Amino acid sequence: MGFVVPKAVGNAVMRNRVRRRLRHLVLGQLAATPLGTAVVVRALPPAASRPAELPADFVAAWGKTLQRLHRRSTSQSPAASSSL
């Protein structure tokens, strides 16, 4: 798990606060995430200016990401990946 919180989010205190909130939110979603999945979470400036919306936005984005990951893994058939 990696976090990218750019300076556009705010000063160092605000960036660390956002990072801590994101880390807490990620821990709640890890059970639904396939093992071995590498994820980088990038915070946008509204993460600091509208902290009340962060949990709902994060859960929605995480759900969309898992759906895309699932679709990608199911669309790749074993026959397509063989080199026969």
Side-chain angles (χ1 to χ4, degrees):
M1 183 60 53
F3 298 95
V4 176
V5 186
K7 287 185 178 182
V9 171
N11 62 17
V13 172
M14 186 58 68
R15 291 193 310 269
N16 285 325
R17 184 175 294 147
V18 168
R19 190 176 294 114
R20 285 191 306 269
R21 287 178 180 153
L22 287 171
R23 191 177 307 127
H24 176 75
L25 292 169
V26 166
L27 288 175
Q29 299 297 318
L30 284 180
T33 306
L35 290 175
T37 303
V39 178
V40 176
V41 179
R42 181 175 181 263
L44 299 175
S49 62
R50 297 189 304 244
E53 296 175 15
L54 184 62
D57 289 346
F58 178 80
V59 170
W62 194 270
K64 283 183 185 179
T65 302
L66 288 179
Q67 286 175 354
R68 289 178 186 158
L69 183 64
H70 179 69
R71 272 188 274 148
R72 179 184 285 174
S73 67
T74 58
S75 68
Q76 295 175 351
S77 66
S81 63
S82 68
S83 61
L84 294 177

